[in-house]
């Protein structure tokens, strides 16, 4: 006698990850597409900068020193900061939303975070292309006579940090939501990993803020302000932005 076998998921099991992502609310999917698209753009820009730099080092191309530093700056900023943090933010949110099953919690925070990160991306790319090239770590010693470039460069990273915190807060709220609704007594292993990951992103953002905030006007000249940042910070020059 012929039989038909079917695969039946256990009661209470979750649908596959792809199905959960497909079922996300439209605003969440739009946000995730935006973040993944921006991350890929940062990666492409960084790879182009790295490829051209490699050609220059091989002797196939010749640049003036400032242009060579500019390429290195664009490469480092795009890959080591914006690609890495944008893709982490996108992956955190998509996995958290899928784990929750009902989309993102604190959705306005997520959109605010994305807007801040994209604004920082734009500022950093613009000042890296038009200002004094500072390399990816924003070394102020390379622009002692151009505090404007230092200030805008730091502003880009501060916007990135603020956006990262807002996105991480949304991710944390999203993985906590099932427990707050009484649908779960404890984290799943994936939920706990996402919660910890979001916490690490917040710590990274705080560290970046502490490193670059001195560049953004706090140490601008004034009656009660020192003209240099204190020792131990990454900025030791005067800035004119964000006064």
């Amino acid at each position: 006698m012929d039989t038909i076998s079917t695969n039946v998921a256990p009661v209470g099991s979750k649908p596959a990850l792809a199905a959960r992502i497909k079922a996300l609310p439209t605003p969440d999917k739009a946000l995730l597409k935006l973040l993944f698209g921006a991350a890929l753009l940062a990666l492409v820009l960084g790879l182009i900068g790295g490829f051209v730099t490699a050609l220059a080092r091989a002797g196939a191309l010749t640049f003036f020193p400032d242009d060579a530093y500019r390429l290195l700056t664009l490469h480092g900023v795009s890959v080591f900061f914006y690609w890495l943090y944008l893709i982490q933010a996108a992956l955190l949110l998509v996995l958290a939303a899928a784990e929750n099953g009902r989309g993102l919690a604190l959705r306005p925070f997520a959109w605010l975070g994305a807007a801040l990160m994209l604004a920082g991306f734009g500022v950093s790319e613009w000042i890296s292309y038009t200002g004094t090239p500072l390399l990816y770590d924003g070394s102020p010693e390379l622009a002692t006579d151009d505090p404007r470039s230092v200030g805008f460069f730091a502003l880009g990273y501060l916007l990135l940090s603020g956006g990262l915190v807002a996105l991480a807060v949304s991710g944390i709220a999203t993985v906590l939501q099932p427990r707050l609704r009484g649908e779960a007594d404890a984290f799943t292993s994936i939920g706990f990993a996402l919660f910890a990951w979001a916490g690490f992103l917040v710590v990274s953002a705080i560290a970046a803020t502490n490193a670059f905030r001195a560049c953004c006007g706090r140490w601008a000249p004034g009656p009660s302000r020192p003209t240099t940042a204190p020792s131990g910070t990454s900025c030791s020059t005067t800035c004119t932005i964000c006064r």
Side-chain angles (χ1 to χ4, degrees), residues 39 61 88 129 132 181 193 196:
L61 297 174
Q88 285 191 75
Y129 185 76
T132 301
R181 291 196 304 252

Side-chain angles (χ1 to χ4, degrees), residues 193-207:
L194 293 172
F195 183 84
W197 186 7
F200 287 137
L201 291 180
V202 171
V203 172
S204 297
I206 292 173

